[in-house]
């Protein structure tokens, strides 16, 4: 039952995110994340029910995991910048825009959930 519901959520996400302007607006992204969280919960429920963790063994997930690790490495604070225009303790990261990097990592984690389920 949970597998059928996961499959339905994945199919619905593909259709809805494409129809609703390619999943670039915040409400659509929220629906996408809720779908990913729902898949994760159903996946855990199915694992407890069946007694085994089933996931896709596709090699397409390896680049996603590598991108996630690389993105998280980019936002690790390596000290802080001096005071600039009255703002103190600005973290020094490899990423030029840490918030955008964190958002992208969050998107890729949601995609990894869809791929793995």
């Amino acid at each position: 039952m949970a597998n059928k519901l996961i499959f339905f959520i994945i199919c619905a996400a593909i259709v809805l995110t494409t129809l609703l302007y390619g999943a670039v607006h915040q409400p659509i992204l929220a629906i996408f994340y809720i779908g990913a969280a729902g898949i994760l919960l159903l996946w855990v429920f199915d694992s407890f029910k069946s007694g085994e963790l089933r996931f896709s063994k596709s090699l397409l997930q390896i680049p996603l995991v590598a991108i996630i690790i690389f993105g998280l490495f980019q936002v690790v604070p390596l000290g802080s910048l001096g005071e600039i225009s009255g703002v103190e303790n600005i973290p020094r990261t490899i990423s030029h825009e840490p918030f955008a990097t964190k958002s992208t990592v969050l998107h890729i984690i949601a995609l990894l959930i869809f791929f793995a389920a």
Side-chain angles (χ1 to χ4, degrees):
M1 176 67 177
N3 287 335
K4 292 178 183 178
L5 193 54
I6 288 172
F7 183 74
F8 174 75
I9 292 172
I10 291 171
C11 292
I14 292 169
V15 172
L16 289 176
T17 56
T18 303
L19 290 176
L20 300 173
Y21 196 59
V24 294
H25 293 300
Q26 295 305 321
I28 307 307
L29 286 174
I31 293 170
F32 181 71
Y33 291 144
I34 290 170
I39 287 175
L40 193 61
L41 290 174
L42 288 169
W43 196 11
V44 169
F45 174 74
D46 184 54
S47 295
F48 279 127
K49 185 178 176 185
S50 67
E52 63 179 335
L53 177 63
R54 288 180 275 183
F55 60 92
S56 172
K57 295 177 182 158
S58 172
L59 297 178
L60 291 174
Q61 297 175 50
I62 294 172
L64 291 176
V65 172
I67 292 171
I68 291 169
I69 292 169
F70 182 66
L72 292 175
F73 177 71
Q74 284 186 343
V75 295
V76 172
L78 304 171
S80 60
L81 299 172
E83 183 178 338
I84 299 174
S85 300
V87 179
E88 297 178 2
N89 297 326
I90 300 172
R92 182 179 299 194
T93 62
I94 295 172
S95 175
H96 180 67
E97 196 171 341
F99 179 76
T101 305
K102 289 176 189 176
S103 296
T104 302
V105 168
L106 184 63
H107 296 338
I108 296 171
I109 288 172
L111 285 174
L112 182 64
I113 291 170
F114 276 89
F115 269 93

